Amino acid sequence: MFIIVGERINTSRKNVREAVSNRDKTYIQQDVEKQQDSGANYIDVNAGARIGHEAEDMQWLIKVIREVVKIPLCFDSPDPNILKMAYDLVDEPPMINSISLEKERLNRMLPFLKGKNCKIVALCMDDAGLPTSAQDVIDRAEKLVCSLEDIGMQRDAIFIDPLIQPVSTNTSNALTVLDAVQGIMRKFPGVHTICGLSNISYGLPQRKIINRSFLSLLMASGLDAAILDPLDLNLMAVLRTTEMLLGKDDFCARYLKGVRAGKIQA
Amino acid sequence: MFIIVGERINTSRKNVREAVSNRDKTYIQQDVEKQQDSGANYIDVNAGARIGHEAEDMQWLIKVIREVVKIPLCFDSPDPNILKMAYDLVDEPPMINSISLEKERLNRMLPFLKGKNCKIVALCMDDAGLPTSAQDVIDRAEKLVCSLEDIGMQRDAIFIDPLIQPVSTNTSNALTVLDAVQGIMRKFPGVHTICGLSNISYGLPQRKIINRSFLSLLMASGLDAAILDPLDLNLMAVLRTTEMLLGKDDFCARYLKGVRAGKIQA
């Protein structure tokens, strides 16, 4: 089953930032309940936007979110100290977002992850920057998988993010990611692939329409997880129909359930 | 570039049937002008619904459509006599829809097609009925390609239709077609593949949403033509975004043109 990481609790979004700043528990709790009801498997929590407040904001968010939802959280920070702090606050195995091949981050994250019960988002980023070809993505994925397996992590816990670059700057950028996802899923059976979709449409108008078609294409290439807004009905309709068309919805059950709930409509 | 066959002039549609019955030239001409403006490369003409009137209806439709559009027509009939009659009425090389492996149809169509300047839609249907697996589709496509090449047709003139069966009756039906299209495009370079989309969603609610996602998936598998409604803005938006994401829209030009024309919008 496709794994949905609900992206809405991110202090870079104005409403969330204000709610966090005002400690508006109701706003946050209603939002995450809706995400859970809409099919989110994880709630991403990113408290990075209020400079100097990340630790306390993250702590508060974890507390109020856990009061209302059962699904696990995904801690989203480039700072290993924040991730460690967050990990210790929960019982259900969380997703950690993220590790990368950047030396400093890798060297701080690997010892922390060793022996931990969690999922890990692994970005195909290294100190040279973004990957430059599908093969480059696959090579980086291999290094990430090896590093994580070396410290005892299971493949099922590893979510490789190939990193999407905008199609507006190079019309082959989408194909590169599609090829990379297919390559990773073939070469490392058991590993997951995950994306944030929206970077693909950066610089173009009507971005949501592009993001939607890209989700179908990514799923056809084998992508089995995404960080997205589960309240975006059009995007979720694409997800459920694509899942069904790819033979991953027995008896069309999830699709029909979505239609009956009024969540899949023209 | 993806080839669009506009499907609207079909007497199985009530409005078209009435317009044909009343010889309402304006209705038909406005419709086909809109299809051409929306990006249709061919106008499909199907006059099969008024029993006993197919020949005269087809003749009238061809005449009134050719008065207003420049793009070629696609003659859509199971009856070789109708197709022959229609072929003789036009100068621009038309698309002929269709031939199949059904013995009687094949034996009547091949001699007619020999030496003609036209495109041909070739259905993967034989006297045993519909294909039962992706390999079966590919085997049938091979027979069609061989038969058509034997009478001197070029691959670029051949549009193989793998025949879509509803995902509601078997959840692997979409995957079968996706695999078949990929197989055909690999095995017979230069050949086109074409589908009518809507059969995939037969028996399910909210069919258009399913058809849209299926178009993206088919294009990712290599499908390069479809019989569809070019006035369906949501479907066309999926087509243009998918084309762009698959690296087939230089400088995102067709996408941006569609947005500026107000044809691609959320």
Side-chain angles (χ1 to χ4, degrees):
Chain A
M1 203 178 94
F2 196 85
I3 296 165
I4 297 166
V5 181
E7 71 183 4
R8 296 173 55 86
I9 302 300
N10 187 321
T11 50
S12 69
R13 295 178 62 221
K14 184 164 171 282
N15 289 350
V16 172
R17 190 164 59 250
E18 284 174 8
V20 169
S21 165
N22 301 330
R23 295 295 186 251
D24 179 350
K25 179 168 152 170
T26 311
Y27 180 93
I28 299 295
Q29 292 186 334
Q30 286 178 347
D31 189 293
V32 297
E33 283 180 315
K34 276 188 266 175
Q35 291 192 67
Q36 179 176 255
D37 290 347
S38 298
N41 304 104
Y42 289 85
I43 300 285
D44 191 82
V45 187
N46 182 318
R50 301 204 321 136
I51 311 294
H53 296 269
E54 187 175 7
E56 69 203 60
D57 285 355
M58 181 64 98
Q59 215 163 352
W60 179 78
L61 279 167
I62 293 168
K63 182 172 161 291
V64 303
I65 294 169
R66 291 191 64 236
E67 285 174 13
V68 292
V69 300
K70 307 263 183 234
I71 54 175
L73 306 185
C74 171
F75 301 124
D76 185 355
S77 173
D79 182 344
N81 290 326
I82 298 285
L83 297 173
K84 289 176 196 175
M85 178 275 289
Y87 181 86
D88 287 332
L89 292 174
V90 295
D91 301 318
E92 321 78 26
M95 186 178 282
I96 302 286
N97 184 3
S98 56
I99 195 171
S100 76
L101 291 168
E102 294 157 293
K103 274 241 170 59
E104 201 197 320
R105 201 161 170 184
L106 190 71
N107 290 339
R108 290 177 68 190
M109 285 296 288
L110 286 177
F112 159 64
L113 288 171
K114 189 168 181 175
K116 296 286 191 302
N117 185 10
C118 64
K119 310 289 185 186
I120 179 76
V121 177
L123 310 180
C124 292
M125 171 77 92
D126 68 15
D127 289 311
L130 289 161
T132 56
S133 68
Q135 192 53 53
D136 190 14
V137 178
I138 296 168
D139 292 344
R140 291 172 185 215
E142 179 159 22
K143 287 183 194 158
L144 286 162
V145 171
C146 290
S147 300
L148 291 164
E149 286 188 331
D150 275 353
I151 59 158
M153 290 197 86
Q154 301 295 312
R155 287 199 170 177
D156 177 52
I158 302 172
F159 288 69
I160 301 286
D161 184 337
L163 296 176
I164 292 172
Q165 297 173 60
V167 75
S168 58
T169 58
N170 182 336
T171 45
S172 67
N173 274 344
L175 276 178
T176 299
V177 172
L178 295 172
D179 290 348
V181 166
Q182 195 166 58
I184 292 166
M185 296 306 259
R186 278 198 193 145
K187 194 160 179 184
F188 312 107
V191 155
H192 301 279
T193 40
I194 191 165
C195 280
L197 292 170
S198 60
N199 213 36
I200 195 68
S201 57
Y202 181 81
L204 289 170
Q206 300 294 350
R207 296 183 59 178
K208 285 190 168 194
I209 297 180
I210 302 171
N211 301 348
R212 268 177 234 156
S213 291
F214 196 44
L215 178 59
S216 279
L217 298 178
L218 283 164
M219 290 172 75
S221 289
L223 189 87
D224 64 355
I227 303 176
L228 53 77
D229 180 359
L231 303 193
D232 179 337
L233 289 187
N234 289 315
L235 186 64
M236 287 298 287
V238 167
L239 195 159
R240 292 295 175 220
T241 51
T242 302
E243 187 174 56
M244 176 173 71
L245 292 167
L246 294 175
K248 293 176 180 163
D249 182 10
D250 290 346
F251 309 106
C252 310
R254 276 194 297 277
Y255 177 77
L256 290 168
K257 192 179 159 200
V259 173
R260 277 194 301 269
K263 289 186 173 168
I264 298 175
Q265 43 185 287
Chain B
M1 201 178 95
F2 196 84
I3 296 165
I4 297 166
V5 181
E7 71 182 4
R8 296 172 56 83
I9 303 299
N10 189 320
T11 50
S12 69
R13 295 177 64 222
K14 185 164 170 284
N15 289 349
V16 172
R17 191 165 59 250
E18 284 175 7
V20 169
S21 165
N22 301 330
R23 296 297 188 247
D24 179 351
K25 183 169 151 168
T26 312
Y27 180 93
I28 301 294
Q29 291 187 333
Q30 285 179 348
D31 190 291
V32 297
E33 283 181 313
K34 275 187 266 176
Q35 290 192 67
Q36 179 177 252
D37 290 347
S38 299
N41 305 103
Y42 290 85
I43 300 285
D44 192 81
V45 188
N46 182 318
R50 300 204 321 136
I51 310 294
H53 296 269
E54 186 174 7
E56 68 203 61
D57 285 354
M58 181 64 97
Q59 218 164 347
W60 178 78
L61 278 167
I62 292 169
K63 182 173 161 291
V64 304
I65 294 170
R66 291 191 63 235
E67 286 174 14
V68 292
V69 300
K70 307 262 184 236
I71 55 174
L73 306 185
C74 172
F75 301 126
D76 185 355
S77 174
D79 183 344
N81 291 325
I82 298 285
L83 297 173
K84 289 176 196 175
M85 178 274 289
Y87 181 86
D88 288 332
L89 292 175
V90 293
D91 301 318
E92 320 79 26
M95 186 177 284
I96 302 285
N97 184 3
S98 54
I99 194 171
S100 76
L101 291 168
E102 293 156 294
K103 273 238 170 60
E104 202 197 319
R105 200 163 173 181
L106 190 71
N107 290 340
R108 292 177 68 190
M109 286 294 290
L110 285 178
F112 159 64
L113 288 171
K114 190 168 180 173
K116 296 285 190 303
N117 185 9
C118 64
K119 311 288 185 187
I120 179 74
V121 176
L123 310 180
C124 292
M125 172 77 91
D126 69 15
D127 289 311
L130 290 161
T132 56
S133 68
Q135 191 54 53
D136 190 11
V137 178
I138 295 167
D139 293 343
R140 291 172 184 216
E142 179 159 21
K143 287 182 195 160
L144 287 162
V145 171
C146 291
S147 301
L148 292 164
E149 286 188 330
D150 274 353
I151 59 159
M153 291 197 82
Q154 301 296 312
R155 286 200 171 176
D156 178 52
I158 303 171
F159 288 69
I160 302 287
D161 184 337
L163 296 177
I164 292 172
Q165 297 173 61
V167 74
S168 58
T169 59
N170 181 336
T171 46
S172 67
N173 275 342
L175 275 178
T176 298
V177 173
L178 296 172
D179 289 348
V181 167
Q182 194 166 60
I184 292 167
M185 296 306 259
R186 277 196 193 149
K187 194 159 180 184
F188 312 106
V191 156
H192 301 278
T193 40
I194 191 165
C195 281
L197 292 169
S198 61
N199 214 35
I200 196 66
S201 56
Y202 181 81
L204 289 170
Q206 300 294 349
R207 296 183 60 178
K208 286 190 167 194
I209 297 179
I210 301 171
N211 301 348
R212 268 177 234 159
S213 291
F214 196 43
L215 178 59
S216 280
L217 298 179
L218 284 164
M219 291 172 74
S221 289
L223 190 89
D224 64 356
I227 304 178
L228 53 77
D229 181 359
L231 304 192
D232 179 338
L233 289 185
N234 288 315
L235 186 64
M236 288 297 289
V238 166
L239 196 159
R240 292 296 175 221
T241 50
T242 302
E243 188 174 54
M244 176 174 71
L245 293 167
L246 294 175
K248 291 175 182 162
D249 183 10
D250 290 345
F251 308 106
C252 310
R254 277 195 296 279
Y255 177 77
L256 290 168
K257 192 179 159 201
V259 172
R260 278 194 301 268
K263 289 186 174 168
I264 297 174
Q265 45 184 283

